[in-house]
């Protein structure tokens, strides 16, 4: 097949080319546009713990992720990939804990990376641990039983006795009575093992040809659970103060940086707020809020983290979220402004309910320009340096091309599509 590079602006240096279709350089990686596919769990890996293919990507993932590469996205993140077997959300999740480059997990990921590169796309891997939200069945199976979530027991490949969190016990079930297991508290030594598991997976991802990595620190999964005083009640070096609660993230970032090339970008996804402001649990225990995220964001350069992927919520059942088009975009914009004011160059990504071309255009427009006093007077600051989209790509895989057409940008197309143009 010919080498393709769909979705790249034909004249990226033209002043009329919107920022959305201008290249973005992150360390040694250059994205052809500012459109990133967020990780999306497909719950389509082999769940059998005795199978060598457990956690490995399948033909389904090749079709799903490969088509997004054909359709012009600048960077595509593979779904949350667990660094330990008990770190999967479901038995059908992607994993990368097997040793060596001859494992089925490694080969499945390499196959996806190789195809993405053949289409001119860059490929990223989100490394994750589900923590107390682990060992549930695929969502459509729960829906067949009329519930939102259902626990996965041993009969379907689950691990009910090994669901873990920074703290354990009945009080720490993600949603009591709604299909989640009681977590047990990780020992200090086990937390240290989790850190090294992230590093091991990162090293394998580099060998598989991935261009970027993302640490999943959002949505109530393990790292997010450690960050928040609501879910972290520990008394060791990983609990208590802000410094201690962020220790696991700092150690994971350092361990990953040690094993990946210096020119490889490292992303971090966070829940910028738990949406617990004015909730009783926050008054009692504290919360992870925007002030916490701002404090963390200013630390990212020293941690070797280049890009902050700004999401929110998912860590406590009392969260009060009122989603609307800009609800997370505004969070990203505030973080970007504060980071720039502090003199840091950390890139910011906006995600959530971005579906329209004009919305995406406005979020990043001007993000690649120096913002002088004069230009700041002429218009608002960009909210982000790139956008991340997930479900809209499931509804509209050709979103990059239709957005380019709407914005009047001439972009390259796959050679095989030429007769349709």
């Amino acid at each position: 097949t010919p080498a393709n590079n769909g979705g790249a602006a034909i004249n990226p240096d033209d002043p009329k080319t919107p920022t959305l279709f201008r290249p973005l350089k992150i360390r040694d990686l250059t994205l052809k546009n500012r459109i990133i596919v967020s990780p999306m769990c497909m719950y389509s890996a082999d769940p059998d713990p005795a199978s060598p293919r457990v956690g490995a990507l399948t033909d389904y993932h090749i079709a799903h992720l490969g088509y997004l590469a054909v359709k012009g996205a600048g960077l595509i993140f593979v779904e949350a990939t667990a660094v330990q077997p008990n770190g999967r959300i479901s038995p059908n999740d992607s994993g990368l804990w097997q040793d060596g480059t001859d494992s089925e997990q490694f080969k499945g990921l390499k196959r996806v990376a190789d195809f993405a590169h053949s289409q001119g796309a860059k490929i990223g891997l989100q490394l994750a641990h589900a923590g107390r939200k682990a060992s549930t069945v695929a969502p459509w199976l729960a829906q067949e039983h009329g519930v939102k979530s259902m626990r996965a027991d041993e009969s379907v490949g689950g691990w009910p006795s090994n669901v873990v969190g920074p703290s354990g016990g009945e009080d720490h079930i993600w949603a009591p009575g709604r299909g989640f297991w009681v977590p047990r508290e990780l020992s200090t030594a086990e937390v240290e093992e989790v850190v090294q598991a992230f590093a091991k997976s990162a090293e394998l991802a580099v060998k598989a040809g991935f261009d970027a990595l993302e640490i999943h620190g959002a949505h109530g999964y393990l790292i997010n659970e450690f960050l928040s005083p609501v879910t972290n009640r520990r008394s060791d070096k990983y609990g208590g103060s802000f410094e201690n609660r962020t220790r696991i993230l700092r150690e994971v970032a350092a361990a990953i940086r040690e094993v990946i090339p210096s020119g490889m970008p490292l992303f971090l996804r966070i829940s910028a707020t738990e949406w617990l402001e004015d909730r009783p649990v926050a008054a009692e225990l504290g919360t992870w809020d925007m002030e916490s995220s701002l404090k963390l964001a200013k630390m990212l350069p020293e941690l070797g983290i280049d890009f902050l992927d700004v999401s929110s919520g998912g860590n406590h059942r009392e969260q009060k979220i009122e989603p609307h088009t800009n609800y997370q975009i505004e969070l990203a914009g505030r973080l970007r402004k504060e980071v720039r004011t502090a003199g840091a160059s950390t890139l910011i990504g906006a995600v959530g309910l971005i579906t329209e071309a004009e919305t995406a255009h406005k979020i990043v427009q001007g993000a690649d320009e120096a913002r002088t006093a004069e230009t700041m007077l002429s218009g608002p600051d960009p909210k982000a340096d790139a956008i991340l989209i997930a479900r809209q790509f499931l509804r509209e895989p050709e979103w990059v091309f239709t957005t380019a057409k709407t914005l009047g940008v001439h972009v390259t197309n796959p050679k095989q599509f030429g007769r349709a143009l």
Side-chain angles (χ1 to χ4, degrees):
T1 59
N4 283 319
N5 191 30
I10 293 173
N11 295 306
D13 296 327
D14 186 330
K16 295 180 181 179
T17 299
T19 303
L20 190 64
F21 284 92
R22 290 180 181 272
L24 177 63
K25 184 173 174 58
I26 316 172
R27 293 198 182 227
D28 291 346
L29 178 69
T30 299
L31 306 185
K32 60 189 172 187
N33 56 46
R34 311 292 180 101
I35 302 166
I36 301 174
V37 179
S38 271
M40 291 180 278
C41 291
M42 292 288 107
Y43 305 99
S44 296
D46 190 335
D48 183 359
S51 168
R53 291 198 54 79
V54 62
L57 301 189
T58 66
D59 287 348
Y60 177 86
H61 297 94
I62 282 286
H64 162 60
L65 296 165
Y67 199 56
L68 294 173
V70 171
K71 290 294 189 173
L75 174 63
I76 300 160
F77 272 106
V78 174
E79 64 188 75
T81 296
V83 299
Q84 293 180 319
N86 69 341
R88 292 168 292 165
I89 301 168
S90 83
N92 298 94
D93 280 11
S94 170
L96 186 55
W97 64 79
Q98 293 173 340
D99 292 324
T101 59
D102 60 347
S103 75
E104 294 299 323
Q105 291 177 354
F106 179 90
K107 288 188 287 187
L109 287 163
K110 186 177 189 304
R111 189 178 173 210
V112 167
D114 289 347
F115 183 80
H117 290 155
S118 77
Q119 303 305 306
K122 303 303 182 183
I123 190 80
L125 186 65
Q126 186 187 65
L127 299 177
H129 194 298
R132 64 180 180 149
K133 285 186 167 183
S135 196
T136 60
V137 302
W140 61 83
L141 295 176
Q143 289 166 9
E144 290 174 4
H145 290 81
V147 294
K148 290 185 177 180
S149 183
M150 180 181 294
R151 298 182 297 189
D153 60 21
E154 293 93 338
S155 69
V156 292
W159 48 97
S161 63
N162 199 25
V163 172
V164 299
S167 302
E170 294 279 347
D171 289 347
H172 291 278
I173 302 175
W174 157 239
R178 287 175 50 194
F180 293 88
W181 298 104
V182 177
R184 65 172 181 83
E185 181 173 315
L186 287 164
S187 68
T188 302
E190 286 177 316
V191 179
E192 294 167 348
E193 289 171 4
V194 169
V195 172
Q196 291 310 308
F198 271 91
K200 174 184 173 181
S201 298
E203 189 171 17
L204 287 168
V206 172
K207 293 177 180 177
F210 280 81
D211 301 297
L213 298 176
E214 179 170 81
I215 301 167
H216 197 345
H219 302 159
Y221 298 121
L222 188 65
I223 289 179
N224 188 189
E225 294 165 20
F226 270 90
L227 296 178
S228 171
V230 173
T231 42
N232 184 346
R233 318 275 183 86
R234 301 176 70 90
S235 58
D236 66 355
K237 64 180 180 178
Y238 293 105
S241 66
F242 179 89
E243 180 182 5
N244 282 357
R245 286 183 283 108
T246 59
R247 187 182 304 277
I248 186 173
L249 173 58
R250 291 184 283 113
E251 290 182 351
V252 165
I256 290 176
R257 268 282 158 224
E258 284 184 7
V259 299
I260 66 176
S262 61
M264 187 177 197
L266 182 58
F267 289 50
L268 169 66
R269 170 166 277 192
I270 64 167
S271 285
T273 174
E274 298 180 288
W275 298 113
L276 292 176
E277 292 84 353
D278 302 322
R279 308 298 286 177
V281 68
E284 178 187 358
L285 300 170
T287 183
W288 184 272
D289 55 13
M290 276 295 289
E291 295 307 315
S292 304
S293 292
L294 288 166
K295 188 175 180 180
L296 176 64
K298 293 173 184 177
M299 297 165 50
L300 297 186
E302 66 189 70
L303 301 181
I305 293 171
D306 311 291
F307 190 108
L308 185 61
D309 175 359
V310 182
S311 191
S312 69
N315 194 46
H316 198 275
R317 57 187 177 273
E318 290 184 19
Q319 63 186 7
K320 188 176 181 181
I321 305 177
E322 297 178 0
H324 55 83
T325 302
N326 294 321
Y327 82 115
Q328 287 182 170
I329 295 169
E330 294 302 324
L331 300 178
R334 183 181 170 192
L335 281 163
R336 188 179 188 277
K337 184 175 182 179
E338 293 276 353
V339 166
R340 292 294 182 275
T341 300
S345 58
T346 306
L347 298 170
I348 302 296
V351 64
L353 301 182
I354 301 170
T355 61
E356 302 297 329
E358 284 296 340
T359 301
H361 164 64
K362 291 176 182 178
I363 290 170
V364 302
Q365 185 59 25
D368 56 342
E369 301 171 359
R371 302 290 285 174
T372 64
E374 291 76 14
T375 59
M376 288 177 70
L377 289 173
S378 65
D381 280 333
K383 301 295 185 184
D385 299 282
I387 60 163
L388 296 99
I389 296 178
R391 297 179 196 183
Q392 185 62 18
F393 275 117
L394 301 183
R395 293 183 284 261
E396 189 182 2
E398 66 280 3
W399 192 88
V400 174
F401 293 133
T402 58
T403 295
K405 184 176 181 180
T406 299
L407 298 179
V409 182
H410 295 291
V411 297
T412 54
N413 285 276
K415 295 179 174 67
Q416 294 95 329
F417 291 10
R419 289 175 295 172
L421 302 177

